[in-house]
Amino acid sequence: ANMTDESPRPIVVGVDLSKHSMRAIEWAVSKSAPGSKVHLVHSYSPLVPIATQGVAYVPSETEQQAWKGKQKNDYEAFLVNCEDKLRLKERNVELQYHLVAGDPRDTIPRYANKVNGDTVVVGSHGRGLLGRAFLGSVSSYLAHNCQLPVVIVKKSGEEGKKD
Protein backbone atom coordinates (compact mmCIF):
# COMPACT_ATOMS: atom_id res chain seq x y z
CA ALA A 1 0.00 0.00 0.00
CA ASN A 2 1.14 3.56 -0.47
CA MET A 3 2.68 5.54 2.37
CA THR A 4 0.10 8.34 2.50
CA ASP A 5 -2.50 6.05 4.08
CA GLU A 6 -5.31 6.86 1.68
CA SER A 7 -7.90 5.00 3.68
CA PRO A 8 -11.29 5.14 1.97
CA ARG A 9 -13.78 7.62 3.40
CA PRO A 10 -16.50 5.78 5.28
CA ILE A 11 -20.12 5.32 4.28
CA VAL A 12 -22.56 6.62 6.90
CA VAL A 13 -25.93 4.85 7.22
CA GLY A 14 -28.92 6.39 8.98
CA VAL A 15 -30.79 3.56 10.67
CA ASP A 16 -34.20 3.32 12.34
CA LEU A 17 -34.09 -0.39 13.26
CA SER A 18 -36.43 -1.46 10.44
CA LYS A 19 -35.88 -4.01 7.69
CA HIS A 20 -35.44 -1.00 5.39
CA SER A 21 -32.45 0.02 7.48
CA MET A 22 -31.12 -3.49 7.19
CA ARG A 23 -31.22 -3.19 3.39
CA ALA A 24 -29.42 0.15 3.56
CA ILE A 25 -26.69 -1.39 5.73
CA GLU A 26 -26.44 -4.35 3.38
CA TRP A 27 -25.99 -2.01 0.43
CA ALA A 28 -23.34 0.02 2.25
CA VAL A 29 -21.41 -3.09 3.26
CA SER A 30 -21.55 -4.49 -0.29
CA LYS A 31 -20.09 -1.23 -1.63
CA SER A 32 -17.31 -1.00 0.97
CA ALA A 33 -13.76 -2.10 0.29
CA PRO A 34 -12.33 -4.80 2.57
CA GLY A 35 -10.81 -3.20 5.63
CA SER A 36 -13.14 -0.21 5.58
CA LYS A 37 -15.63 1.03 8.13
CA VAL A 38 -19.35 1.66 7.82
CA HIS A 39 -20.82 4.04 10.40
CA LEU A 40 -24.39 3.47 11.55
CA VAL A 41 -26.23 6.39 13.14
CA HIS A 42 -29.44 5.69 15.02
CA SER A 43 -31.23 8.84 16.16
CA TYR A 44 -33.88 8.75 18.82
CA SER A 45 -36.15 11.42 20.27
CA PRO A 46 -35.34 12.26 23.87
CA LEU A 47 -38.30 12.50 26.24
CA VAL A 48 -39.76 16.00 26.18
CA PRO A 49 -41.58 17.97 28.85
CA ILE A 50 -45.34 17.95 28.27
CA ALA A 51 -47.94 20.34 29.60
CA THR A 52 -51.62 19.61 28.99
CA GLN A 53 -54.71 20.89 30.75
CA GLY A 54 -52.84 22.19 33.74
CA VAL A 55 -50.77 19.02 34.18
CA ALA A 56 -47.07 19.40 33.53
CA TYR A 57 -44.70 16.48 33.10
CA VAL A 58 -40.97 17.05 33.06
CA PRO A 59 -38.92 13.88 32.56
CA SER A 60 -36.30 13.36 35.23
CA GLU A 61 -32.67 12.58 34.45
CA THR A 62 -33.38 9.00 35.60
CA GLU A 63 -36.26 8.66 33.16
CA GLN A 64 -34.17 10.12 30.33
CA GLN A 65 -31.41 7.60 31.08
CA ALA A 66 -33.90 4.72 31.24
CA TRP A 67 -35.38 5.82 27.90
CA LYS A 68 -31.92 6.04 26.35
CA GLY A 69 -31.16 2.60 27.81
CA LYS A 70 -34.23 1.16 26.12
CA GLN A 71 -33.17 2.70 22.77
CA LYS A 72 -29.72 1.22 23.25
CA ASN A 73 -31.12 -2.26 23.97
CA ASP A 74 -33.37 -2.15 20.90
CA TYR A 75 -30.44 -0.94 18.81
CA GLU A 76 -28.15 -3.70 20.11
CA ALA A 77 -30.74 -6.40 19.36
CA PHE A 78 -31.06 -5.01 15.82
CA LEU A 79 -27.29 -4.99 15.38
CA VAL A 80 -26.81 -8.59 16.52
CA ASN A 81 -29.36 -9.66 13.91
CA CYS A 82 -27.61 -7.45 11.38
CA GLU A 83 -24.14 -8.85 11.99
CA ASP A 84 -25.46 -12.40 11.68
CA LYS A 85 -27.05 -11.62 8.34
CA LEU A 86 -24.19 -9.69 6.81
CA ARG A 87 -21.26 -12.07 7.42
CA LEU A 88 -19.02 -9.11 8.20
CA LYS A 89 -16.04 -11.24 9.23
CA GLU A 90 -15.80 -12.76 5.74
CA ARG A 91 -16.15 -9.36 4.13
CA ASN A 92 -13.67 -7.70 6.48
CA VAL A 93 -15.89 -4.63 6.90
CA GLU A 94 -16.23 -3.08 10.33
CA LEU A 95 -19.47 -1.52 11.52
CA GLN A 96 -19.29 1.37 13.96
CA TYR A 97 -22.42 2.12 15.94
CA HIS A 98 -23.66 5.48 17.17
CA LEU A 99 -26.77 6.26 19.18
CA VAL A 100 -27.63 9.96 19.05
CA ALA A 101 -30.47 11.92 20.61
CA GLY A 102 -32.08 14.29 18.12
CA ASP A 103 -33.71 14.65 14.74
CA PRO A 104 -32.09 12.40 12.13
CA ARG A 105 -32.31 15.26 9.62
CA ASP A 106 -29.70 17.03 11.76
CA THR A 107 -27.83 14.19 13.41
CA ILE A 108 -27.05 12.15 10.28
CA PRO A 109 -25.39 14.93 8.21
CA ARG A 110 -23.61 16.32 11.29
CA TYR A 111 -22.19 12.90 12.06
CA ALA A 112 -21.25 12.26 8.42
CA ASN A 113 -19.28 15.51 8.34
CA LYS A 114 -17.58 14.68 11.62
CA VAL A 115 -16.20 11.38 10.29
CA ASN A 116 -15.44 12.85 6.85
CA GLY A 117 -17.99 10.51 5.30
CA ASP A 118 -18.09 9.74 1.62
CA THR A 119 -21.80 8.96 1.18
CA VAL A 120 -24.92 8.94 3.34
CA VAL A 121 -27.22 5.93 2.93
CA VAL A 122 -30.80 5.52 4.15
CA GLY A 123 -33.48 2.93 3.47
CA SER A 124 -36.69 3.83 1.71
CA HIS A 125 -39.88 2.74 3.44
CA GLY A 126 -42.18 2.49 0.48
CA ARG A 127 -45.73 3.58 1.25
CA GLY A 128 -48.25 3.40 4.03
CA LEU A 129 -46.01 2.67 6.97
CA LEU A 130 -46.22 4.67 10.14
CA GLY A 131 -42.47 4.93 9.93
CA ARG A 132 -42.69 6.75 6.62
CA ALA A 133 -43.61 10.00 8.31
CA PHE A 134 -40.30 9.52 10.08
CA LEU A 135 -37.91 8.10 7.52
CA GLY A 136 -39.79 9.03 4.35
CA SER A 137 -39.40 12.68 5.15
CA VAL A 138 -35.86 12.10 6.41
CA SER A 139 -34.68 10.51 3.17
CA SER A 140 -36.16 13.25 0.99
CA TYR A 141 -34.90 15.96 3.35
CA LEU A 142 -31.37 14.54 3.26
CA ALA A 143 -31.46 14.14 -0.51
CA HIS A 144 -32.14 17.88 -0.83
CA ASN A 145 -30.11 19.30 2.04
CA CYS A 146 -27.16 17.04 2.82
CA GLN A 147 -23.82 18.24 1.42
CA LEU A 148 -22.70 14.68 0.74
CA PRO A 149 -24.14 12.35 -1.89
CA VAL A 150 -27.21 10.55 -0.52
CA VAL A 151 -28.23 7.05 -1.53
CA ILE A 152 -31.80 5.93 -0.83
CA VAL A 153 -31.97 2.15 -0.94
CA LYS A 154 -35.33 0.89 -2.18
CA LYS A 155 -36.97 -2.48 -1.72
CA SER A 156 -35.88 -4.78 -4.51
CA GLY A 157 -38.63 -5.33 -7.04
CA GLU A 158 -40.94 -2.80 -5.41
CA GLU A 159 -39.91 0.24 -7.45
CA GLY A 160 -42.82 1.87 -9.15
CA LYS A 161 -45.30 -0.58 -7.65
CA LYS A 162 -48.34 1.06 -6.08
CA ASP A 163 -49.26 -0.34 -2.68
Side-chain angles (χ1 to χ4, degrees), residues 31-51:
K31 296 287 181 267
S32 296
S36 57
K37 292 186 170 89
V38 173
H39 292 263
L40 309 183
V41 181
H42 175 41
S43 308
Y44 73 98
S45 307
L47 297 172
V48 291
I50 303 164

Side-chain angles (χ1 to χ4, degrees), residues 5-162:
D5 185 37
E6 289 279 308
S7 55
R9 290 165 61 196
I11 296 178
V12 175
V13 185
V15 299
D16 68 350
L17 314 192
S18 67
K19 60 180 188 293
H20 312 285
S21 290
M22 186 78 82
R23 271 200 304 274
I25 297 165
E26 227 163 319
W27 186 92
V29 167
S30 73
K31 296 287 181 267
S32 296
S36 57
K37 292 186 170 89
V38 173
H39 292 263
L40 309 183
V41 181
H42 175 41
S43 308
Y44 73 98
S45 307
L47 297 172
V48 291
I50 303 164
T52 53
Q53 300 167 340
V55 179
Y57 161 71
V58 178
S60 68
E61 190 50 40
T62 314
E63 287 170 310
Q64 283 291 14
Q65 289 306 324
W67 176 243
K68 183 178 183 177
K70 182 191 180 314
Q71 306 303 316
K72 191 165 177 284
N73 292 344
D74 291 352
Y75 192 19
E76 284 170 354
F78 171 80
L79 295 171
V80 166
N81 180 15
C82 188
E83 298 204 325
D84 285 353
K85 274 183 99 160
L86 297 181
R87 309 191 315 280
L88 296 173
K89 295 268 185 296
E90 292 168 40
R91 289 177 161 164
N92 187 19
V93 172
E94 187 192 329
L95 295 185
Q96 299 218 318
Y97 314 119
H98 312 279
L99 178 65
V100 195
D103 186 319
R105 282 169 286 217
D106 305 324
T107 57
I108 295 169
R110 191 182 318 134
Y111 189 82
N113 288 332
K114 193 170 110 180
V115 297
N116 190 24
D118 177 68
T119 313
V120 168
V121 180
V122 286
S124 161
H125 274 257
R127 295 270 177 277
L129 279 169
L130 186 64
R132 181 162 179 267
F134 172 74
L135 203 69
S137 60
V138 170
S139 55
S140 53
Y141 178 90
L142 291 175
H144 292 103
N145 297 282
C146 188
Q147 261 83 60
L148 296 172
V150 175
V151 174
I152 300 169
V153 179
K154 294 194 168 95
K155 286 194 276 217
S156 50
E158 298 266 331
E159 285 83 349
K161 199 180 86 181
K162 291 272 182 287

